[in-house]
Amino acid sequence: MTTHTNPSTSLDPDNTTFKFPSHYSFPPFFTLQPVHTTRTSQLHSWSRLIQSYCQHHHLWTLSLTDALPSPLFTNTHLSRSLSLRDAREIISWMTTSEAGRRAEWTSPTSSTSSTSSTSTTSGDREDQKTRCYIFWRRPEEWASVIEEWVDRTGQKGSVLTLYEIVESESTRKEEFWGMERGLLERCLRVLVKGGRAQVFGREGSEGVKFF
Amino acid sequence: MDRPRRTPGLSSLTSSRIASSQYASHGASLRSQNAQSLSTQLEVFQSLLHNFAVVHAKDIRANPAFRAEFARMCSALGVDFLASSHHRGKGKDGASGSIWAQILGSDVNDFYFNLGVLIVEECRATRAENGGLISVAEIRQRIQRGRRIGGGMEVSDDDITRAVDSLAPLGSCFSIMKIGHRSLIRSVPKELNTDQCTVLEAIQVLGYVTVSMLQINLDWERPRAYAVIQDLMSDSLVWVDTQAGENEYWSPASISGALGGPG
């Protein structure tokens, strides 16, 4: 019933259609509910949907203005779509600990390299909140996924470039393939902090060694 | 008419007393005979039922339709098989009391209590979304989908009704209510008034309602329709959709029904 042509899935590695949950065909789902308990349940459902959608399409960040007309936030069958304000509220809720911090706002000026500061959350200005990370896995979780891969492929002790980890053919089938630089650096920082990896080299051509 | 039997004088009193006492004793013996034959019949029947259940134990356990028929037969005969496995030793030496337990391997009780626990879990999990009112059919789907160990359970609507009934002693306000032609499980203590029921019924038929639809079709004043909707909304029993011109109010029960996809 729901076959969606998706403008943002040109990067989609496997061209399978995403199966939307049943909430997606429920018109009021696209209106944030005024009653608190209902709304909380709705926010949980949206959070799950956004995460699985991003996971399916391998999206690391969402730009709200771009994503609003996409099938994620717009159901053309029902002619219902989420408003920018509601989408912002959902993402903001996802950044809270109640929602497991499954999203994080990125400042509009931050390119992938400027995420080296520990906190990339922008100021409180609403209009700045247009772009965000969606953590269908938290950086800590990604760190262990990468570590597991290093372990599995017997590359402990050898030096890898960041390019090798997320862009080379050898990791084409891994879940973290194509990860944004900024996010990758954060994951590696987790490993460095835990004493399980070391990053060296100049910015732009860093190498990383796993222990 | 019955002049020959009527004896004049005082003796008639004693003779009538004798007659009535004889009637009584004869009646009593008839009654006891009756009771005896009935109890024999019952024993025969119980053993037959026992045999039947032993032979078909697997079907009873595995096939929900069969189980429902069996349960219906039992209840028609006044055999409460939820209770009968409970009153152990009710029979001569405990044998007849727990036949159900013997037959079904694990207690039938356990089956329904387990199912009851699953139902409580599902009701609680979805309460914020649907205000504690969930259709029996949806519960069944959710249980059959079963993300838990052991996978989905094959259950029928009848099983679910029975399981909900078996929760009654807990006094936990779990009950089955009917709106329109659908059975719903209510897991909140709140009673719905007639207006609210009417609106929910209308939503069930039409898919959604608006305030003006209620005004026109039910001949309600606007404030009345509005108040009922607000009440339902504050209990999470309806969700509002503001993108359709006039606000539409939908029942969250149709979330699962609309597409029916798993997940």
Side-chain angles (χ1 to χ4, degrees):
Chain A
M1 183 177 168
T2 45
T3 43
H4 300 279
T5 46
N6 190 341
S8 62
T9 53
S10 47
L11 292 169
D12 190 6
D14 45 341
N15 260 325
T16 49
T17 42
F18 176 69
K19 196 160 178 13
F20 281 95
S22 46
H23 289 89
Y24 187 72
S25 38
F26 184 57
F29 191 51
F30 295 86
T31 301
L32 271 192
Q33 296 301 306
V35 176
H36 182 257
T37 48
T38 323
R39 178 187 282 238
T40 310
S41 138
Q42 189 186 17
L43 289 170
H44 273 289
S45 301
W46 265 112
S47 169
R48 273 198 304 273
L49 168 59
I50 292 171
Q51 283 176 58
S52 55
Y53 183 89
C54 288
Q55 177 166 23
H56 182 89
H57 294 301
H58 257 80
L59 302 173
W60 309 98
T61 57
L62 275 186
S63 154
L64 284 192
T65 38
D66 293 346
L68 276 181
S70 81
L72 174 57
F73 291 130
T74 301
N75 184 336
T76 44
H77 288 278
L78 302 175
S79 24
R80 293 288 182 279
S81 63
L82 211 61
S83 69
L84 179 61
R85 216 185 59 194
D86 286 356
R88 242 183 215 141
E89 172 147 3
I90 291 167
I91 302 289
S92 292
W93 181 79
M94 284 173 73
T95 65
T96 64
S97 55
E98 184 192 353
R101 287 201 287 280
R102 288 286 158 181
E104 194 171 293
W105 295 109
T106 60
S107 55
T109 50
S110 85
S111 65
T112 46
S113 61
S114 75
T115 46
S116 46
S117 59
T118 37
S119 169
T120 55
T121 39
S122 66
D124 292 335
R125 285 181 53 199
E126 275 295 315
D127 55 334
Q128 283 194 341
K129 294 180 173 177
T130 55
R131 206 173 173 77
C132 58
Y133 281 116
I134 301 295
F135 295 137
W136 28 288
R137 284 183 201 282
R138 295 274 312 152
E140 306 86 65
E141 292 165 3
W142 279 122
S144 54
V145 171
I146 293 172
E147 208 182 9
E148 187 269 333
W149 165 75
V150 169
D151 205 25
R152 175 154 43 85
T153 51
Q155 301 189 78
K156 273 195 179 174
S158 53
V159 177
L160 297 163
T161 63
L162 300 195
Y163 171 84
E164 274 179 296
I165 296 175
V166 293
E167 283 168 65
S168 71
E169 276 305 307
S170 57
T171 57
R172 191 73 172 80
K173 290 224 162 59
E174 302 299 328
E175 217 183 348
F176 51 80
W177 191 84
M179 186 189 282
E180 288 207 352
R181 261 314 153 84
L183 183 54
L184 176 62
E185 282 166 15
R186 276 182 65 174
C187 300
L188 293 177
R189 230 176 291 130
V190 172
L191 290 172
V192 170
K193 220 172 175 181
R196 283 168 293 164
Q198 193 185 356
V199 181
F200 45 82
R202 279 174 297 119
E203 184 157 308
S205 61
E206 295 102 324
V208 57
K209 188 173 172 179
F210 293 89
F211 311 119
Chain B
M1 265 161 77
D2 38 3
R3 181 157 296 171
R5 293 181 59 194
R6 188 177 284 167
T7 37
L10 282 175
S11 68
S12 75
L13 289 174
T14 39
S15 81
S16 80
R17 204 183 304 135
I18 288 164
S20 77
S21 84
Q22 271 172 351
Y23 282 140
S25 77
H26 190 63
S29 81
L30 273 180
R31 259 202 302 279
S32 79
Q33 263 174 28
N34 249 339
Q36 219 165 16
S37 80
L38 270 178
S39 79
T40 338
Q41 273 180 32
L42 193 66
E43 261 171 48
V44 171
F45 179 75
Q46 269 188 340
S47 74
L48 282 176
L49 198 60
H50 183 256
N51 284 343
F52 177 84
V54 167
V55 173
H56 297 285
K58 227 171 118 194
D59 293 319
I60 294 174
R61 244 177 318 199
N63 183 344
F66 194 80
R67 183 163 59 234
E69 283 302 314
F70 185 70
R72 180 138 24 112
M73 183 177 77
C74 285
S75 58
L77 293 163
V79 181
D80 179 0
F81 70 119
L82 271 181
S84 61
S85 60
H86 205 62
H87 300 307
R88 239 164 266 153
K90 181 181 75 177
K92 285 151 252 161
D93 41 15
S96 71
S98 59
I99 51 169
W100 306 114
Q102 294 165 10
I103 295 158
L104 298 182
S106 64
D107 260 15
V108 195
N109 255 342
D110 285 353
F111 173 81
Y112 284 104
F113 288 158
N114 285 341
L115 188 55
V117 171
L118 287 181
I119 291 171
V120 173
E121 278 176 3
E122 290 295 347
C123 284
R124 287 186 61 89
T126 56
R127 192 175 290 175
E129 188 170 283
N130 58 30
L133 208 57
I134 187 166
S135 72
V136 170
E138 193 187 339
I139 281 274
R140 179 167 47 82
Q141 275 180 13
R142 281 172 168 273
I143 286 171
Q144 281 173 350
R145 221 181 287 150
R147 298 149 280 156
R148 317 175 81 237
I149 319 149
M153 219 198 298
E154 272 298 308
V155 292
S156 65
D157 288 359
D158 185 76
D159 288 333
I160 289 171
T161 316
R162 256 164 233 286
V164 172
D165 288 344
S166 75
L167 295 172
L170 300 174
S172 54
C173 71
F174 277 83
S175 63
I176 302 252
M177 62 181 289
K178 270 198 151 357
I179 290 182
H181 56 277
R182 273 198 329 178
S183 302
L184 298 153
I185 299 172
R186 194 188 54 192
S187 59
V188 285
K190 193 179 159 66
E191 291 287 339
L192 294 175
N193 62 36
T194 40
D195 278 9
Q196 290 168 330
C197 284
T198 311
V199 171
L200 287 179
E201 206 173 324
I203 291 175
Q204 212 179 93
V205 176
L206 303 167
Y208 65 91
V209 294
T210 64
V211 170
S212 56
M213 274 162 73
L214 293 177
Q215 278 182 270
I216 294 164
N217 289 304
L218 300 170
D219 208 15
W220 284 359
E221 296 294 315
R222 191 175 177 81
R224 179 175 174 189
Y226 186 78
V228 173
I229 291 284
Q230 289 303 315
D231 265 5
L232 288 173
M233 211 156 77
S234 66
D235 288 330
S236 305
L237 289 170
V238 298
W239 287 37
V240 63
D241 173 20
T242 57
Q243 295 178 38
E246 189 182 3
N247 283 2
E248 288 177 0
Y249 300 91
W250 296 69
S251 159
S254 62
I255 289 180
S256 65
L259 204 63

